[in-house]
Amino acid sequence: MPRLGTNSSKMTESQSPSHSPSPEEPTQNQNTPFHVPVEIISDEEMALIEAAFAATRALVSSPPRASSSAHFRENVRSIKSITLLSNRSISSCSRSDPLMIDVEDSGRLTSSQKRNRVVDSLLHRFRRKRGLSVTDITATEWCEKKMEYSLLCGKPEKTKAMKAGSIRHEALEEEVIKKVKVHVTSAEDVWALKFLNFIVGANQLLFDGLTRELPLVGFAEGVWMVGVIDEIRMPKGQSDTYPMLVDTKTRVRASLPGEPQRRNGRLQLMCYKHLWDSLVADEFPSRQFFDFFSLNPYQILSAEIRENTAKCGFPTETLTDMLRYLRNTWSMLPPAHEQLLLRYELQEDQSLLGEDQFEYDLNWVKGQIKSSLEVWRGEREASYTPEEERWKCRSCKFASECPASNSGSQVERTLNANC
C-alpha cells in the first residue's frame, strides 16, 4: 500500500443511484380457502382508527414541504390528535375487565401484532435499507418528540448557524484531504466508495497521525449504524498509541455550552468509538450487511471505481473484494483511546473557546442507544424533553404545536437558561 500524504484523495460520488428493491409478496395456494378473521371493536377504538386514516390521508395526499407552515401545522395537529385520542382510549379501560386489558401490557402479543408494530415503527418506515445514523441517536437523546416530528413532518430548514458549522467542517477536511469526484452507477459503487475512503483515511492516520471526515458503518446493539468521524489523531513515534477521536463544535456566542449540549456531544463521540472498536475487533457480519442493504456482493463495480482502487494499490472487482481489503485495514488499527475530545470554536473567527476531554463509558452509551431504539422500534411512545430542559423549545420549529412547550410557568423559568 503506497503512503498517502496530507493531501490524500477522498472520493465523492457525483451521482447517486435510485435503489429500491421490489417488496416480496407472499403467495396463496388457489386450493386453500381464505379465512377472514372477525373482530368486534369499541366505539373509542373505531374513532381512533378513523383519526389515523384521516391523518394518513393528509400526509399522503400532500407531501410535507419545509417551506409550508400551514401544511406543517396540519400534520402536527393530526399527530397530536391521534396521540391524545390514543391516551384517552387506554386510560378509559377498566383493569378489572379482562376484555379491556391492553394486549401489550399483558405481554401476549400475537405474531400479526408484532409484525404490524415492526412495519409501523420509525425504524422500518424511515431507515429501512439505510441504517440509523449516529446523528439519529443524538437527535433522539436531545428530544424524542422533535425527532419524531422531524420524520413525520419534514426536517426543519438549516439555520444560518448550522450552515456556518457545515462550512467550517468542510474547511477542516480540505486541510488534509483532497476531494476527487467519482461517477457511481449502483448502490454497490456507493458502498465501495465509502470503504475506499475509509481505507485511504486509515492509512493517512497510520502514516501522518491525522485524518478527518472518516466514514464508519457497523453493527451495534442489533442495528446497522453509520456515521462520519470529524477527526482522528494518533501521534507518531510512540509505543502503545491509540487513536483519539475528536469532534469540533462551532458556537455563535463566545461561551461554552450547557451540560445538555455537552452530554449530547459526548454521546456522539462515544457512539463513534463504539462503532470503531467493533470494527477493529472484526465484529462485522458480512452476510447480514449485504442482506440488510440489499447489495450484490459479486456485482462488478464501475470502471471508474476499479480504476481508482487500482491506483491506490488494491485492485478490486466486486464489493466482496473491497470488504477483504477493508478487513485487512481494520486488522492494522488499535481500539480508539478511552479519552475522547470535544472542541468548541467561535464561528466568527474560529478561535478556540474551550475543550471537553472525557472518558469513554461503554455501559452508558449502550444504555443510551438502547433507549433510543425503544422509540425507533416502536416499543414505546416518544417522550417530551424534561421540564428542566424546556429551553430547547425556543429554537424548535415544532414548538407552536407541541404540547410540551405550553406546560406553564416551568417553561418560562427555564427559557432563559444558558444553552
Side-chain angles (χ1 to χ4, degrees):
M1 182 83 58
R3 171 172 174 166
L4 302 173
T6 53
N7 285 327
S8 300
S9 297
K10 178 179 181 180
M11 316 297 173
T12 60
E13 63 267 24
S14 57
Q15 177 181 339
S16 298
S18 57
H19 191 81
S20 54
S22 58
E24 297 181 2
E25 297 181 358
T27 57
Q28 173 71 31
N29 190 325
Q30 293 181 353
N31 297 324
T32 304
F34 284 91
H35 296 283
V36 180
V38 177
E39 182 181 5
I40 300 175
I41 62 175
S42 66
D43 291 340
E44 288 181 345
E45 290 173 315
M46 192 64 216
L48 177 59
I49 293 171
E50 291 176 350
F53 274 121
T56 303
R57 284 195 296 269
L59 289 169
V60 173
S61 61
S62 302
R65 297 189 181 96
S67 59
S68 175
S69 58
H71 183 78
F72 152 69
R73 287 194 295 270
E74 179 183 351
N75 286 347
V76 173
R77 287 194 190 100
S78 299
I79 297 167
K80 186 166 62 176
S81 64
I82 293 174
T83 302
L84 293 175
L85 183 55
S86 175
N87 290 338
R88 284 201 301 272
S89 300
I90 294 173
S91 63
S92 63
C93 295
S94 171
R95 294 299 177 181
S96 61
D97 185 347
L99 296 179
M100 297 300 288
I101 295 177
D102 188 90
V103 178
E104 292 194 23
D105 288 348
S106 70
R108 295 190 298 275
L109 282 174
T110 66
S111 58
S112 176
Q113 287 167 327
K114 288 178 181 177
R115 284 195 301 271
N116 290 338
R117 188 172 69 178
V118 170
V119 170
D120 292 339
S121 71
L122 299 175
L123 188 63
H124 182 85
R125 292 171 62 189
F126 297 100
R127 295 296 182 265
R128 189 184 180 197
K129 306 300 178 187
R130 291 175 55 189
L132 278 176
S133 69
V134 170
T135 52
D136 286 331
I137 300 296
T138 57
T140 309
E141 191 276 337
W142 182 256
C143 178
E144 294 177 358
K145 273 297 178 184
K146 181 180 180 180
M147 178 278 297
E148 181 184 54
Y149 285 163
S150 296
L151 293 172
L152 298 174
C153 303
K155 265 190 173 184
E157 293 182 1
K158 278 191 172 184
T159 64
K160 186 177 179 180
M162 292 167 66
K163 292 176 181 177
S166 298
I167 292 172
R168 175 56 179 158
H169 279 91
E170 290 176 5
L172 288 170
E173 181 184 12
E174 289 172 359
E175 290 178 1
V176 298
I177 298 290
K178 179 183 177 182
K179 290 186 178 180
V180 178
K181 282 193 175 182
V182 176
H183 183 73
V184 296
T185 59
S186 67
E188 287 76 12
D189 287 348
V190 173
W191 277 104
L193 202 56
K194 292 179 188 293
F195 292 165
L196 175 59
N197 283 331
F198 181 93
I199 294 171
V200 171
N203 277 275
Q204 184 183 32
L205 177 67
L206 291 170
F207 286 114
D208 297 341
L210 175 69
T211 193
R212 288 179 178 149
E213 301 298 319
L214 192 75
L216 285 181
V217 57
F219 194 70
E221 311 312 316
V223 295
W224 285 98
M225 293 177 60
V226 297
V228 179
I229 305 176
D230 269 10
E231 182 176 319
I232 309 176
R233 303 172 182 174
M234 193 165 70
K236 297 178 293 180
Q238 298 181 15
S239 59
D240 299 328
T241 299
Y242 296 95
M244 175 174 279
L245 309 187
V246 182
D247 196 278
T248 298
K249 306 291 186 186
T250 60
R251 300 274 298 165
V252 175
R253 292 180 294 177
S255 61
L256 292 174
E259 179 56 28
Q261 284 177 303
R262 293 191 186 206
R263 182 184 68 230
N264 200 255
R266 291 173 190 143
L267 174 61
Q268 183 178 356
L269 273 177
M270 288 193 198
C271 285
Y272 290 149
K273 175 172 165 57
H274 192 28
L275 291 179
W276 175 282
D277 289 352
S278 69
L279 292 178
V280 300
D282 203 19
E283 296 171 358
F284 189 91
S286 303
R287 183 174 295 180
Q288 291 184 38
F289 168 75
F290 291 124
D291 289 344
F292 179 83
F293 291 101
S294 297
L295 300 169
N296 181 354
Y298 305 111
Q299 177 171 312
I300 301 299
L301 302 173
S302 70
E304 203 165 342
I305 293 286
R306 286 181 279 130
E307 179 184 350
N308 278 282
T309 56
K311 286 180 181 178
C312 291
F314 42 93
T316 301
E317 293 289 324
T318 66
L319 203 54
T320 299
D321 297 335
M322 181 66 76
L323 189 57
R324 185 171 63 252
Y325 286 114
L326 193 64
R327 288 188 185 278
N328 291 338
T329 303
W330 293 335
S331 67
M332 296 186 297
L333 298 169
H337 203 289
E338 292 294 314
Q339 294 292 314
L340 305 168
L341 180 64
L342 278 171
R343 299 178 67 256
Y344 295 97
E345 287 185 358
L346 183 63
Q347 281 187 2
E348 184 180 4
D349 57 7
Q350 288 85 53
S351 59
L352 182 65
L353 296 174
E355 294 184 339
D356 179 15
Q357 187 166 329
F358 56 95
E359 191 167 346
Y360 180 62
D361 187 336
L362 177 60
N363 292 331
W364 182 78
V365 70
K366 289 176 71 171
Q368 290 293 319
I369 294 173
K370 288 178 180 177
S371 178
S372 295
L373 289 178
E374 289 174 0
V375 180
W376 280 94
R377 287 171 170 158
E379 296 169 1
R380 64 175 174 84
E381 285 285 325
S383 61
Y384 302 101
T385 190
E387 288 193 2
E388 63 271 17
E389 296 183 14
R390 294 281 165 86
W391 50 265
K392 296 175 182 177
C393 301
R394 68 183 181 188
S395 59
C396 179
K397 171 186 174 181
F398 312 105
S400 60
E401 301 295 337
C402 178
S405 64
N406 301 316
S407 59
S409 59
Q410 178 63 31
V411 176
E412 296 299 325
R413 288 195 297 270
T414 56
L415 272 179
N416 295 322
N418 191 10
C419 69

